[in-house]
Amino acid sequence: MHIRMPCLDGVPAPGVTRRLVEAFVPPTRMNRPALAPLTARETEILRLVGTGRTDAAIAQTLVVSEATVKTHLTRLMAKLALSSRAQVVVTAYETGLITPGGRQV
């Protein structure tokens, strides 16, 4: 993971990131126009990354290769001008795609 956390090997980091975002990102109104440049699959990848899933878990869920997930993630990050996976998670919350408490829309 891109997040350095002592005593963690990187596997629990997405869950920790999700909990931090839920604690500090206030619920917002949905901002779907910000997602307009994304394809349906890229939006789905954004939602799944926002829930803290790894690329491997997303690939298994969508029945695609991990390389395909990484390609979609790279493209959506470029379209939304994001530079880290943490920014992807925050964007999923800020746009209302994911809401604090795990409710998905």
Side-chain angles (χ1 to χ4, degrees):
M1 296 305 312
H2 297 290
I3 299 172
R4 295 177 189 231
M5 302 177 102
C7 304
L8 293 178
D9 64 3
V11 175
V16 171
T17 302
R18 181 180 46 78
R19 288 193 302 274
L20 285 171
V21 170
E22 287 175 358
F24 294 104
V25 175
T28 59
R29 297 183 66 184
M30 290 198 322
N31 184 10
R32 294 291 168 93
L35 303 180
L38 302 183
T39 65
R41 181 62 90 177
E42 289 166 346
T43 302
E44 189 172 19
I45 299 286
L46 174 63
R47 182 181 59 77
L48 292 169
V49 170
T51 63
R53 293 192 184 163
T54 64
D55 291 346
I58 294 169
Q60 185 175 16
T61 299
L62 300 179
V63 192
V64 298
S65 73
E66 197 170 336
T68 299
V69 172
K70 289 178 183 182
T71 298
H72 287 303
L73 183 56
T74 299
R75 288 181 181 161
L76 79 86
M77 289 174 70
K79 288 178 180 181
L80 299 179
L82 306 174
S83 60
S84 71
R85 195 174 184 102
Q87 287 181 329
V88 173
V89 173
V90 170
T91 299
Y93 279 91
E94 287 180 341
T95 58
L97 198 57
I98 301 293
T99 60
R103 196 176 117 250
Q104 300 174 18
V105 252

